[in-house]
Amino acid sequence: MCGIVGFIGNQDSKEILLKGLEKLEYRGYDSAGIAVINENGVKVFKEKGRIADLRSIVDENTLASTGIGHTRWATHGVPSTVNAHPHQSTTARYTLVHNGVIENYDLLKREYLQNVTLISDTDTEVIVQMIELFAKDGLNTEEAFRKTLTLLKGSYALALLDNQDNETIYVAKNKSPLLVGLGDDFNVVASDAMAMLQVTNQYVELMDKEIVIVKKNEVTIQTLNGEIINRAPYTAELDASDIEKGTYPHYMLKEIDEQPAVMRKIVQKYQSEQGQLTISEDILQAMNDADRIYIIAAGTSYHAGLVGKQFIEKMAKIPVEVHISSEFGYNMPLLSEKPLFIFISQSGETADSRAVLVEVKEKGYKALTITNVPGSTLSREADYTLLLHAGPEIAVASTKAYTAQLAVLAILAEVTAKSRGLEVQFDLVQELGIVANAMDVLCGAKEDFENIAREFLATTRNCFFIGRGIDFYVGLEGALKLKEISYIQAEGFAGGELKHGTIALIENGTPIIALATQESVNLSIRGNVKEVVARGANPCIISMKGLETDEDRFTIPEVHELLTPLISVVPLQLISYYAALHRDCDVDKPRNLAKSVTVE
Ligand code: F6R
């Protein structure tokens, strides 16, 4: 949440910073700002709203080859121009951008800043005021920055400018992601390599509690104690075209359409030369050593975990528990003797999941991260990583990452099963090929889903998804998709639970989207549909070929019963997309949300 950029070099920085912020808008989009510095000092431009709003107020005539920028997802203080970053100290000597949350900011304010008038409601302003306070006490900027950092509790990625020095950006990080990018006669700072791919693909990872002094031709990384660290850069393997919308009106639609190709790519990436699916030996060993697997994730990734549990238990016969990461710290279950933790996270940066990872590592347990982002925090800090190979997912609503998570979990389950000498009743390579083809068919049926959205969801204030067994988990994901982008109150329910309370919500015309892809529960879910219809509901049944009846609204192609979530979710993604469009919602950037949730 919140994105940071910085540039120091040989050309005007404004456009590079603004373009960088546009690429980071997925991390927060309620306000934005840049600060640029030249021999005349610092100039700050900030505005409530999107980067486009910021762009309109930036003074074209201010030329400066050093600058920092920020796009915000509000934590402390409402979205407003005053609370937007950069923040400045009272004399405007220091200018700071921050991603993260300072937990002890109120304490620091009371202890150090009784005589300073703060103008914003942010925790960030406390940091910049403290730096100025220590500088007034006689410390140089680096010392004042360092001293302030030692007093902060919480998460931060910071970039700081000193009005008296237009040749340095001071950078630090703890728990929030931050990279330094290297160029020829310039260097950059970014929350995500994607932001600065426009100028470089060479990046250096930063670790928690490091300080970096960034100059045009030099980058010095140090620990908080001043120990110099040498770390080689890596090449960001991102194709600039992967992060463009191309001819699509929205990233979400593009990413839904990419799903068949992602399925094929995952199979190719996990296939040996002999055509077998493979997983590295150390991961298999960890799976086989475990007496119980604990899947930890949030949101859509949690929903993928619920399906993943079915894959692992049914194929590899290892018991699995699935936990919401933000709850795990308080409600930790009694752990088994030999647990293995699997973290599922598209971004690899989700703070709630990371907090659990830190805790389980402290207890000495092994952890595997399944993520779309190589080098992300959760990937670096776990013992093992499996990549999704889905390509950058930019729309806030997760689509292709969910189906990629399911495919990778299915592969993990199948390969583990085989390594345990268990028979898997189907050929997963072939079945994933069938899944990819089925996805192609569904992506080609957009008009049907647009019609469903118009007919069922154009004006409704709520919508319920029902299913049994594995369909119930897909219903949860369908409901999350719909509510987050169309703001329709949507919930997923297990078909059998309706009569235990929920059915009281059914009114005349309430849309009910029912999934019927499982032969074993087909009759029961259709019975549930009858119950809600008898109470006035407007049913939209999505069935699988072979199980369809005349009353169904759409029938998805047949795939292996266990793999249906990979395709039954596609209609739900598309229905949500069109519902949001019909209701004039900002599909890619829904209100109040951000893509990468880096605060707990
Ligand atoms: C919903 C969505 C979120 C994320 C959740 C976890 O469409 O994208 O619910 O799934 O914030 O994010 P990751 O997977 O990055 O840990």
Side-chain angles (χ1 to χ4, degrees):
M1 302 198 137
C2 301
I4 286 181
V5 288
F7 179 87
I8 181 159
N10 47 8
Q11 55 181 302
D12 186 46
S13 58
K14 292 192 305 290
E15 190 52 32
I16 296 172
L17 295 172
L18 288 168
K19 279 210 177 106
L21 289 179
E22 276 163 4
K23 295 282 179 276
L24 291 185
E25 232 180 350
Y26 72 90
R27 302 180 69 90
Y29 35 83
D30 56 44
S31 54
I34 61 169
V36 291
I37 180 167
N38 57 25
E39 48 301 338
N40 303 320
V42 171
K43 270 208 163 176
V44 173
F45 305 95
K46 54 185 190 174
E47 188 62 292
K48 184 175 171 206
R50 301 286 166 89
I51 309 301
D53 301 301
L54 169 65
R55 196 179 265 285
S56 68
I57 59 143
V58 170
D59 172 15
E60 275 299 308
N61 301 319
T62 306
L63 296 179
S65 54
T66 301
I68 55 179
H70 186 272
T71 179
R72 179 168 189 248
W73 185 86
T75 57
H76 296 66
V78 297
S80 67
T81 304
V82 169
N83 288 332
H85 300 218
H87 289 282
Q88 291 195 293
S89 56
T90 305
T91 68
R93 171 156 182 202
Y94 292 109
T95 306
L96 182 75
V97 291
H98 167 217
N99 164 26
V101 170
I102 304 304
E103 288 154 13
N104 60 340
Y105 83 104
D106 210 31
L107 193 77
L108 295 172
K109 189 158 80 176
R110 277 184 272 125
E111 205 162 313
Y112 293 92
L113 304 174
Q114 308 90 339
N115 301 324
V116 177
T117 308
L118 300 181
I119 59 163
S120 76
D121 301 319
T122 65
D123 48 347
T124 309
E125 193 184 347
V126 169
I127 314 176
V128 74
Q129 296 287 13
M130 285 177 63
I131 297 169
E132 176 157 294
L133 187 81
F134 296 140
K136 278 185 179 157
D137 282 349
L139 298 186
N140 67 30
T141 298
E142 191 180 323
E143 290 163 347
F145 188 42
R146 196 181 291 281
K147 178 162 177 187
T148 305
L149 294 176
T150 59
L151 296 168
L152 301 182
K153 287 206 166 46
S155 55
Y156 55 78
L158 299 169
L160 174 78
L161 296 178
D162 175 355
N163 204 14
Q164 298 176 3
D165 170 11
N166 64 352
E167 293 180 357
T168 312
I169 304 176
Y170 298 85
V171 167
K173 89 157 219 105
N174 187 44
K175 296 192 195 167
S176 298
L178 200 60
L179 301 166
V180 171
L182 309 180
D184 199 4
D185 220 18
F186 70 88
N187 288 309
V188 301
V189 179
S191 300
D192 182 332
M194 216 189 265
M196 286 296 173
L197 261 194
Q198 45 164 328
V199 287
T200 182
N201 64 359
Q202 295 300 300
Y203 288 87
V204 183
E205 272 176 15
L206 303 181
M207 302 298 160
D208 285 352
K209 307 225 161 135
E210 289 180 344
I211 294 191
V212 194
I213 311 297
V214 185
K215 299 202 178 263
K216 184 165 86 166
N217 291 311
E218 200 183 345
V219 170
T220 313
I221 308 177
Q222 307 168 33
T223 62
L224 269 190
N225 304 325
E227 233 173 89
I228 303 279
I229 292 164
N230 291 310
R231 188 171 299 131
Y234 68 93
T235 305
E237 308 280 356
L238 275 170
D239 185 336
S241 65
D242 284 351
I243 55 179
E244 301 299 339
K245 272 206 298 259
T247 53
Y248 280 91
H250 297 101
Y251 281 108
M252 185 179 175
L253 195 61
K254 172 175 180 256
E255 289 159 8
I256 291 172
D257 268 358
E258 282 170 354
Q259 293 179 106
V262 170
M263 290 300 113
R264 295 178 183 115
K265 180 151 183 206
I266 289 173
V267 170
Q268 178 220 326
K269 289 282 180 186
Y270 282 94
Q271 221 173 7
S272 69
E273 277 174 15
Q274 292 72 40
Q276 305 294 319
L277 292 167
T278 58
I279 298 276
S280 75
E281 273 307 316
D282 50 352
I283 296 179
L284 284 182
Q285 189 66 50
M287 290 288 285
N288 284 317
D289 285 348
D291 61 356
R292 185 171 284 262
I293 288 169
Y294 295 83
I295 293 182
I296 311 290
T300 288
S301 298
Y302 169 73
H303 295 155
L306 294 172
V307 177
K309 169 183 161 79
Q310 305 300 318
F311 293 165
I312 296 171
E313 290 190 340
K314 294 212 162 90
M315 287 192 248
K317 313 282 183 221
I318 306 171
V320 181
E321 289 180 24
V322 191
H323 292 270
I324 294 174
S325 48
S326 58
E327 282 291 305
F328 192 82
Y330 324 106
N331 287 336
M332 191 177 306
L334 270 181
L335 296 179
S336 65
E337 259 177 51
K338 292 183 277 173
L340 171 68
F341 285 82
I342 299 184
F343 291 84
I344 307 179
S345 174
Q346 186 285 129
S347 63
E349 300 294 347
T350 298
D352 292 324
S353 301
R354 193 205 175 201
V356 181
L357 175 59
V358 169
E359 197 175 337
V360 304
K361 290 311 296 167
E362 270 166 20
K363 290 188 186 328
Y365 300 128
K366 294 273 187 225
L368 158 67
T369 290
I370 300 181
T371 182
N372 201 24
V373 185
S376 58
T377 307
L378 281 161
S379 158
R380 277 202 318 266
E381 295 181 356
D383 301 275
Y384 323 101
T385 297
L386 289 176
L387 289 177
L388 299 180
H389 301 291
E393 191 181 64
I394 293 170
V396 164
S398 186
T399 53
K400 63 176 178 172
Y402 171 79
T403 44
Q405 286 163 345
L406 297 190
V408 170
L409 282 160
I411 291 172
L412 177 65
E414 193 244 31
V415 180
T416 305
K418 287 192 169 156
S419 76
R420 294 160 78 86
L422 298 168
E423 202 186 329
V424 177
Q425 304 287 354
F426 54 88
D427 175 348
L428 188 56
V429 171
Q430 194 185 327
E431 294 299 335
L432 286 173
I434 296 172
V435 161
N437 294 343
M439 284 174 164
D440 274 327
V441 172
L442 294 171
C443 290
K446 293 197 179 69
E447 218 181 303
D448 291 313
F449 303 122
E450 186 171 6
N451 289 338
I452 292 177
R454 188 178 304 113
E455 188 181 322
F456 288 83
L457 302 171
T459 55
T460 186
R461 63 189 170 91
N462 54 15
C463 171
F464 303 118
F465 291 73
I466 61 171
R468 285 181 176 244
I470 217 162
D471 285 342
F472 164 47
Y473 303 132
V474 181
L476 293 177
E477 174 56 10
L480 176 59
K481 258 346 41 119
L482 184 63
K483 71 181 117 184
E484 70 175 322
I485 61 168
S486 74
Y487 319 140
I488 296 170
Q489 202 230 327
E491 307 299 337
F493 298 117
E497 270 292 287
L498 287 169
K499 53 190 171 297
H500 298 291
T502 316
I503 204 161
L505 292 170
I506 305 297
E507 294 170 347
N508 248 351
T510 305
I512 296 278
I513 300 184
L515 291 175
T517 74
Q518 305 293 300
E519 191 173 4
S520 57
V521 292
N522 193 27
L523 292 180
S524 338
I525 195 67
R526 289 175 185 280
N528 296 137
V529 172
K530 294 263 182 298
E531 289 158 12
V532 291
V533 168
R535 285 154 183 90
N538 187 13
C540 170
I541 303 175
I542 298 179
S543 58
M544 188 169 77
K545 192 147 180 40
L547 302 177
E548 75 271 31
T549 68
D550 289 346
E551 61 189 352
D552 299 351
R553 185 57 200 252
F554 191 88
T555 299
I556 60 177
E558 191 175 358
V559 300
H560 189 281
E561 201 173 45
L562 197 54
L563 301 179
T564 53
L566 286 144
I567 64 157
S568 57
V569 77
V570 178
L572 307 190
Q573 295 167 342
L574 283 163
I575 290 169
S576 302
Y577 172 79
Y578 288 112
L581 270 194
H582 289 317
R583 297 168 81 106
D584 262 346
C585 298
D586 188 341
V587 173
D588 282 340
K589 297 193 184 85
R591 71 184 179 207
N592 305 340
L593 289 172
K595 180 80 181 157
S596 186
V597 186
T598 54
V599 294
E600 278 175 50

